[in-house]
Amino acid sequence: MAALPPAVVAANADKAGTVAAAQRAGRVSDRHPAGDLLLLVIGLSMLGSAELAPAPDADALADRRRMVTDAVTRMTRPGTARPANTIDDEGGN
């Protein structure tokens, strides 16, 4: 896999810093680390792209985009504490 261009790496670091600031201010959930949350949002956003994830028709694409918006909203909503039964950073339960 090719490395990302330095400008993309820098832009993503800036975005992760903005997410971290929003987490500290309580505007975004701190359930996931800022960099990981950014990667989750970027990955989910690809599902809304007709070019990257073709849909059978415009209605299906619109439904998928609503699903992505709902997922990102739920994932980033403040006050969504990390559940006790999630896998921790060491890979255990």
Side-chain angles (χ1 to χ4, degrees):
M1 177 177 266
L4 293 173
V8 172
V9 172
N12 285 342
D14 287 346
K15 290 173 190 169
T18 300
V19 171
Q23 287 174 319
R24 287 190 300 275
R27 293 189 313 269
V28 172
S29 171
D30 61 358
R31 179 178 184 169
H32 304 290
D36 293 346
L37 184 59
L38 177 63
L39 290 175
L40 285 166
V41 170
I42 290 170
L44 283 171
S45 70
M46 288 185 214
L47 291 173
S49 168
E51 293 79 24
L52 296 175
D57 55 49
D59 288 338
L61 182 60
D63 287 343
R64 186 182 308 143
R65 287 178 174 166
R66 279 190 291 277
M67 176 188 66
V68 168
T69 300
D70 180 60
V72 170
T73 298
R74 289 171 184 261
M75 190 171 44
T76 59
R77 182 178 296 132
T80 52
R82 184 179 183 147
N85 63 350
T86 59
I87 296 174
D88 63 24
D89 293 334
E90 271 72 54
N93 285 331

